[in-house]
Amino acid sequence: MAATAVASAATTAATTTAAAGPSAAAAAVLRNLYPIRTLQRNLRSGLGAGVSLPPSVTGVSLIVGGAHCPSRLAAATLCVNELPRLHAANPSVRFATAEEPGSVCRLILSMSDGSSKPVDLAGASTPSVIYAKLMQEAGMS
């Protein structure tokens, strides 16, 4: 999601600032920092790229806890890297992220029958561990 948001912001900035004049230089800097092809390539390769979630999964919610959450860094990294790839591969699935001051990070899958499945993030110290737990709860492993 972050990569998509940055790409969208870069495109919007380039479009709006082209006519503005002096801030065209700022748009050029933004385009150079986040080349669109690099962002698109990032969405097509890596963990979560091209992975179709089962039709029973209708939503993925990630709540990143405060500084005392042991999985905070792994959850934040998952939010920046793997979730945008999953979102690109599953446009019909609703993805939501939020930050809360608590000491617990939570990942919740919304299912087509209206239920929700919490993913246990205890001991998840890396994004790949959280991703594996997400795939397991989604019924993909």
Side-chain angles (χ1 to χ4, degrees), residues 13-98:
T15 306
T16 4
T17 58
S23 45
V29 168
L30 185 60
R31 279 193 309 272
N32 290 336
L33 285 176
Y34 300 104
I36 300 301
R37 288 187 182 159
T38 302
L39 293 172
Q40 290 172 335
R41 190 176 22 236
N42 185 41
L43 290 175
R44 290 190 307 262
S45 63
L47 197 58
V51 175
S52 294
L53 293 171
S56 59
V57 177
T58 60
V60 177
S61 300
L62 176 65
I63 295 104
V64 180
H68 298 292
C69 174
S71 302
R72 178 179 171 76
L73 182 59
T77 305
L78 180 93
C79 183
V80 171
N81 294 324
E82 286 75 23
L83 287 186
R85 294 179 191 135
L86 280 173
H87 179 35
N90 301 279
S92 63
V93 176
R94 184 184 57 80
F95 285 81
T97 58

